[in-house]
Amino acid sequence: MSSIAIKNAVHGDISVGTVLTWTKQYTDQEVRDYYELAGEPTESLPEHLPYVLTVAPLTKLGGDLDYLSQRMDWQATRPLGRNEEIVAELEVTRLEPTAGMTKIAFDARIRCGDEVVITGRSKGLIVSA
Amino acid sequence: MSTTRTNTRTLRTEDIDVCARLTGDLGAHHMGGHGDRRMAQGALTLSVVPLLADPGVHMRDLSFTFLAPVYEGDTVTATLRATGADAAEAPAGTGQVPADRALITCEISVVNDAGTPVLTGTGIAEVPRATAEGLLNDPTGGGS
């Protein structure tokens, strides 16, 4: 295990192996607001969440770190129901502080209960760390 | 057979605020600015990409690269080129394709007002078969 760590106001000390988590369940109003943002009809809501909302909790965790993503890759086994509770996990796989920034990479997961529905990876920079 | 759909939108400051509320992405570069302008969330840029928010569309696979930042006030144009895909192209571990559904491959690009690419990506979408046939047999070759 690397001894390199960065401090974060939301998640505390972060090093390789740290798993950041966030749980989210969208309200129908939030789903409606997203469709409005995307320029889609909002009269009747589909059974499943729009894709971007399914992965958005991962971007929330990135936002906590002031993370600037350069690349993201996701694979999903099924669509997520509109009212499912989503648990997002980002596991730090690389942490490399350099001058004025930190290179960081994650393995990403979205769980519904014990089921892993989305897996992926992301890499990018934290400029303020 | 392939088709292309495009969507153009100006990303306003209030859109960044709504996206922050919905996603929880409150990164300092989104909320306080990067230089003197607020940077749009990646999720906000993705909200412009055609097909992703269409009902019944399940993205089995999506990979993208952010090439340049998008700022408040930028007008972005997202283009999605869809091509029919064989079931064998389904990503491993993402399950069988039901008989009433089909796979399409997607090539995604987003450019800003200056024509500078800001995002590029590829994906595999599972869609209702009727949607795939309508999309891929569009005699106009697509539209917005």
Side-chain angles (χ1 to χ4, degrees):
Chain A
M1 178 74 74
S2 166
S3 61
I4 297 171
I6 59 172
K7 292 192 179 300
N8 177 257
V10 179
H11 297 279
D13 286 351
I14 294 172
S15 57
V16 171
T18 298
V19 179
L20 314 175
T21 66
W22 174 250
T23 301
K24 176 71 179 176
Q25 186 171 18
Y26 292 101
T27 65
D28 284 352
Q29 187 59 52
E30 287 174 323
V31 176
R32 195 170 284 112
D33 289 348
Y34 177 77
Y35 278 117
E36 190 170 324
L37 184 70
E40 297 288 333
T42 59
E43 302 84 53
S44 63
L45 296 179
E47 173 186 1
H48 297 114
L49 281 175
Y51 181 79
V52 171
L53 286 188
T54 68
V55 294
L58 295 167
T59 72
K60 183 270 183 221
L61 292 169
D64 290 346
L65 308 185
D66 296 332
Y67 171 61
L68 286 170
S69 178
Q70 296 171 315
R71 182 167 177 86
M72 294 182 176
D73 302 276
W74 292 313
Q75 291 192 337
T77 60
R78 65 170 175 84
L80 296 178
R82 207 171 69 231
N83 301 117
E84 283 193 272
E85 184 177 83
I86 299 170
V87 178
E89 298 179 352
L90 280 183
E91 180 174 352
V92 179
T93 57
R94 179 189 185 195
L95 194 64
E96 189 181 324
T98 60
M101 66 181 71
T102 298
K103 295 179 181 178
I104 191 167
F106 305 96
D107 281 345
R109 293 178 286 275
I110 294 286
R111 296 180 187 273
C112 293
D114 293 333
E115 178 189 9
V116 177
V117 181
I118 297 174
T119 57
R121 291 168 304 282
S122 179
K123 66 177 182 179
L125 303 169
I126 298 172
V127 176
S128 58
Chain B
M1 186 84 65
S2 69
T3 192
T4 300
R5 287 174 60 182
T6 64
N7 191 21
T8 297
R9 182 148 14 108
T10 299
L11 303 183
R12 306 165 303 168
T13 302
E14 48 266 46
D15 295 328
I16 294 175
D17 289 335
V18 170
C19 189
R21 176 171 60 81
L22 296 177
T23 65
D25 184 351
L26 306 176
H29 41 292
H30 306 311
M31 306 311 292
H34 183 255
D36 59 353
R37 298 174 72 190
R38 291 172 64 184
M39 190 187 298
Q41 297 91 341
L44 181 55
T45 303
L46 285 175
S47 76
V48 185
V49 176
L51 196 71
L52 292 189
D54 285 11
V57 172
H58 165 44
M59 294 304 297
R60 287 185 171 225
D61 184 275
L62 184 61
S63 299
F64 50 89
T65 302
F66 293 102
L67 301 170
V70 176
Y71 294 103
E72 58 185 335
D74 284 357
T75 298
V76 295
T77 297
T79 302
L80 182 140
R81 180 171 176 268
T83 307
D86 192 275
E89 296 181 54
T94 60
Q96 299 287 316
V97 182
D100 60 344
R101 297 180 62 85
L103 297 182
I104 57 175
T105 61
C106 306
E107 295 173 21
I108 297 164
S109 68
V110 183
V111 300
N112 64 16
D113 327 47
T116 303
V118 297
L119 182 152
T120 184
T122 59
I124 296 179
E126 179 195 308
V127 302
R129 187 164 291 280
T131 300
E133 289 169 356
L135 192 64
L136 300 175
N137 294 320
D138 181 349
T140 68
S144 58

